[in-house]
């Protein structure tokens, strides 16, 4: 079934009355603890706290379910109303302030999406490196980087208003960016539709 990417119309930020969110038990996709092929990378949802904001989302690539180090990809809030794509290479989740981020494994992504020289380009030979804005080094990162383009923040404000509860755009932006990024991965055949379905349902909890 074809998936259509949609952009909601731009609307100004307004204040919304809080309402209870839907509560349900949502199971994440079933992911094998071992890679299906050599050099596949595990796509993980990183959920963390940033200052007063809880339930911030980012995407995280790592080599195994027990590896605390990987490549973090997210939409960064610069504090000036601007949101920019950022990549942190060889990011160690143990560096994060307590409480440490929660990690939910989503899917293995095949090595064909990362190129032949990913140790040099993606992993920078193990050196921690921050790119702001993020510079894609492979097909996977190129697809991810397309999310959050022109009109993105207008879509965020419109979605918050549609849902009928107050959610700071800083939180909504990172969650909706992850959903759009994964939607693009589904279109490209890198992950299954069950991953996108889980993220959409998880955000409504």
């Amino acid at each position: 079934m074809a998936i259509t990417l949609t952009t909601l119309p731009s609307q100004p930020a307004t204040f919304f009355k809080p309402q209870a969110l839907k509560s349900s038990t949502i199971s994440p996709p079933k992911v094998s603890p071992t890679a299906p092929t050599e050099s596949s990378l595990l796509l993980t949802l990183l959920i963390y706290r940033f200052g007063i904001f809880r339930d911030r989302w980012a995407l995280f690539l790592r080599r195994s379910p027990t590896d605390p180090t990987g490549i973090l990809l997210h939409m960064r809030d610069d504090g000036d109303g601007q949101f920019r794509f950022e990549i942190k290479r060889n990011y160690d989740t143990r560096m994060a302030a307590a409480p440490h981020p929660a990690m939910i494994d989503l899917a293995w992504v095949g090595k064909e999406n990362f190129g032949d020289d990913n140790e040099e380009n993606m992993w920078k030979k193990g050196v921690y490196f921050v790119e702001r804005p993020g510079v894609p080094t492979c097909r996977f990162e190129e697809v991810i980087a397309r999310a959050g383009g022109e009109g993105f923040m207008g879509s965020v404000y419109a979605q918050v208003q549609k849902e009928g509860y107050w959610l700071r755009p800083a939180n909504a932006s990172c969650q909706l960016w992850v959903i759009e990024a994964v939607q693009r991965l589904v279109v490209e055949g890198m992950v299954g539709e069950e991953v996108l379905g889980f993220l959409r349902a998880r955000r409504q909890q």
Side-chain angles (χ1 to χ4, degrees):
M1 180 177 66
I3 297 177
T4 303
L5 296 175
T6 58
T7 301
L8 295 171
S10 176
Q11 293 189 17
T14 54
F15 187 82
F16 309 107
K17 295 181 180 179
Q19 291 183 4
L21 299 181
K22 297 178 182 178
S23 178
S24 60
T25 301
I26 301 169
S27 299
K30 293 182 179 180
V31 181
S32 170
T34 57
T37 58
E38 185 180 1
S39 299
S40 293
L41 295 178
L42 183 59
L43 180 63
T44 300
L45 174 65
L46 209 66
I47 303 175
Y48 63 101
R49 180 172 181 169
F50 181 74
I52 63 172
F53 302 114
R54 300 183 180 183
D55 209 23
R56 301 297 301 272
W57 288 12
L59 292 175
F60 192 61
L61 279 174
R62 51 183 175 162
R63 292 185 171 95
S64 77
T66 58
D67 196 342
T69 303
I71 299 174
L72 185 147
L73 309 100
H74 70 145
M75 181 64 74
R76 176 187 170 88
D77 175 10
D78 282 348
D80 57 358
Q82 299 297 315
F83 296 82
R84 297 177 176 88
F85 176 51
E86 180 179 79
I87 299 177
K88 294 183 178 181
R89 302 189 185 279
N90 300 294
Y91 176 76
D92 191 332
T93 55
R94 294 169 297 187
M95 294 168 51
H100 294 313
M103 292 187 279
I104 301 175
D105 295 330
L106 300 174
W108 288 100
V109 181
K111 64 178 182 179
E112 65 274 9
N113 299 296
F114 302 116
D116 297 328
D117 195 17
N118 57 26
E119 282 298 326
E120 175 72 25
N121 297 324
M122 289 182 64
W123 295 96
K124 303 296 183 185
K125 296 183 178 180
V127 177
Y128 176 61
F129 192 80
V130 179
E131 296 173 355
R132 188 184 310 135
V135 180
T137 63
C138 60
R139 179 169 174 257
F140 176 89
E141 292 179 357
E142 288 173 354
V143 172
I144 290 287
R146 295 175 197 152
E150 184 178 354
F152 174 71
M153 285 311 298
S155 297
V156 169
Y157 291 127
Q159 188 70 22
V160 170
Q161 187 173 37
K162 177 182 177 182
E163 291 170 355
Y165 65 94
W166 172 245
L167 179 66
R168 285 292 298 269
N171 260 25
S173 64
C174 65
Q175 295 173 1
L176 292 174
W177 178 85
V178 165
I179 289 174
E180 181 187 338
V182 171
Q183 187 175 5
R184 291 177 180 275
L185 294 177
V186 172
V187 171
E188 295 294 331
M190 296 187 195
V191 300
E193 291 188 31
E194 69 279 1
V195 177
L196 180 60
F198 165 73
L199 292 173
R200 285 173 170 165
R202 171 65 176 76
R203 186 171 179 271
Q204 293 300 322
Q205 278 190 310

